[in-house]
Amino acid sequence: MARPRIRLLIGDSIALGPGKSRLLEAIGDTGSIAAAARTMGMSYGRAWQLVQTMNGDFRSPLVERVAGGRGGGGAALTALGREALERYRAMEAQADAAVADALEEFTFLLKVPAQPIE
Amino acid sequence: MARPRIRLLIGDSIALGPGKSRLLEAIGDTGSIAAAARTMGMSYGRAWQLVQTMNGDFRSPLVERVAGGRGGGGAALTALGREALERYRAMEAQADAAVADALEEFTFLLKVPAQPIE
């Protein structure tokens, strides 16, 4: 089934959207920007760049380096990073619920109305 | 102020999102794919391609050629084109309303919380 996605824009740039939120989640899950990038099929350079942008767009960084571990350190979400991700997921759920009925009706306008959820 | 945007996905491709909906609106306003492309700063080829994709994704075309006029004919929204655009705008409004409070709170996490509406 088709879904609405939320992109929070600052001017024309996306402060937080589906890609950045998935990246934050993957960093939280893996403890590493490199591992998070791999799970998303994204280059390390691109993931690093997105993290820098997010860290700069928010009042304080969302992702921080952590010392130690086999690889010589990794990355973790800060408290603000966890809060931003939680709030984003909550907004997604709110928007999903708000348009669910209208979206189901809309899909009947499409040639292929039903799609598996990704 | 930042805003949520809705992208209606079919699998990984966007059946209707901010760009395509603006293009439909501009075609309806200008009566021409070329003029609509110009108002969006988009090439004619790109606009034409987006129209072909939309026409193929929906049960019947959203945009049709119309004969006559100085330029040798133009384009217009079909009844389904107008319906799809109206339903999309309605869903945007529903999603906006649903996340308005959460979005306002979210912007306080950003370094630059307030932005003019585009």
Side-chain angles (χ1 to χ4, degrees):
Chain A
M1 171 97 183
R3 287 192 59 197
R5 297 296 174 86
I6 293 178
R7 282 165 170 83
L8 303 168
L9 303 177
I10 310 181
D12 285 337
S13 73
I14 298 168
L16 197 58
K20 283 175 175 171
S21 64
R22 274 205 304 272
L23 179 60
L24 286 179
E25 202 153 49
I27 291 169
D29 288 344
T30 63
S32 153
I33 294 174
R38 274 196 300 275
T39 65
M40 295 182 65
M42 180 186 282
S43 73
Y44 173 76
R46 173 75 180 141
W48 188 87
Q49 185 183 47
L50 289 173
V51 166
Q52 299 310 307
T53 302
M54 284 191 278
N55 281 353
D57 281 344
F58 284 78
R59 294 174 75 89
S60 65
L62 303 190
V63 176
E64 65 187 350
R65 289 171 186 277
V66 291
R70 278 191 307 175
L77 300 187
T78 62
L80 186 64
R82 288 191 297 275
E83 181 180 352
L85 185 58
E86 277 166 27
R87 285 178 181 267
Y88 179 82
R89 295 293 181 223
M91 283 189 284
E92 277 194 321
Q94 287 172 317
D96 276 3
V99 303
D101 291 347
L103 193 56
E104 190 175 348
E105 284 174 34
F106 189 92
T107 61
F108 291 111
L109 306 186
L110 296 169
K111 196 170 279 174
V112 185
Q115 288 289 329
I117 295 172
E118 314 180 6
Chain B
M1 172 96 183
R3 288 192 58 199
R5 296 298 173 85
I6 292 178
R7 281 166 171 82
L8 302 168
L9 303 177
I10 309 182
D12 284 337
S13 73
I14 297 169
L16 197 57
K20 284 175 176 171
S21 63
R22 274 204 305 271
L23 179 59
L24 287 179
E25 200 154 48
I27 290 170
D29 289 343
T30 63
S32 153
I33 295 174
R38 275 196 301 275
T39 66
M40 294 181 68
M42 180 186 282
S43 74
Y44 173 75
R46 173 76 179 139
W48 188 87
Q49 186 182 47
L50 289 172
V51 166
Q52 299 310 308
T53 302
M54 283 190 278
N55 280 353
D57 281 344
F58 285 78
R59 294 174 75 89
S60 64
L62 303 190
V63 176
E64 63 187 351
R65 288 171 187 277
V66 291
R70 278 191 308 177
L77 299 187
T78 63
L80 186 65
R82 288 190 298 274
E83 181 180 351
L85 186 57
E86 275 166 28
R87 285 177 182 268
Y88 179 82
R89 295 295 180 222
M91 284 190 284
E92 277 194 319
Q94 287 173 317
D96 276 4
V99 304
D101 291 348
L103 192 56
E104 190 175 349
E105 284 174 33
F106 189 91
T107 61
F108 291 111
L109 307 185
L110 297 168
K111 197 171 278 173
V112 183
Q115 289 287 331
I117 295 174
E118 316 177 4

